[in-house]
Amino acid sequence: MNYWLVKSEPFKYSWDDFVKQGVGTWDGVRNYQARNNLASMKLDDLVLFYHSNEGLEVVGIAKIVKEAYPDPTTDDNRWVVVDLVPVEKLPNPVTLKAIKADERLKDIALIRLSRLSVQQLKKDEFDIILSKAYGN
DNA sequence: GCCAACGTTGGC
DNA sequence: GCCAACGTTGGC
């Protein structure tokens, strides 16, 4: 089982849009590193949903329901998408600020590679973020 | 709205 | 194959 974090700008595609839709296709990735991560996602992997630009916080958990297949929004066969479904909205969103403030999360891609839109998380990092979401 | 970080493109 | 120029992302 792997753990991931994806970023979306809420005014384009927010967590609420995602929930309304039920199944979300993660399309439009045009970056090789992000694409490679998409291609590595396995069924039932868990994915944190982060709002970039506005909100700047992890808002929910999703999971993979369909592994990588060619991106239907382009003819270019280099790009792939995955399908996700919402699992749960976090009771307390975890802000970028809170993540930055945690010594144990210093090295996660969200901080180190802030521009990467699809990132892998270690289980530890995933658990730390969730503990903040469910703790007080 | 600015700017840093980083990926991509294209000339040589 | 290097590197400058440029575009994009995303935090502030």
Side-chain angles (χ1 to χ4, degrees), chain A residues 68-118:
Chain A
Y69 59 97
D71 189 336
T73 65
T74 175
D75 291 335
D76 191 331
N77 61 12
R78 289 177 301 170
W79 307 116
V80 298
V81 298
V82 296
D83 287 351
L84 306 173
V85 294
V87 174
E88 196 164 21
K89 183 172 183 163
L90 299 182
N92 304 305
V94 181
T95 61
L96 179 65
K97 211 172 156 191
I99 291 171
K100 277 188 165 172
D102 194 314
E103 192 64 30
R104 295 167 299 173
L105 297 174
K106 272 237 154 56
D107 286 332
I108 71 168
L110 189 63
I111 296 167
R112 271 193 317 110
L113 299 170
S114 63
R115 295 185 42 204
L116 186 61
S117 59
V118 181

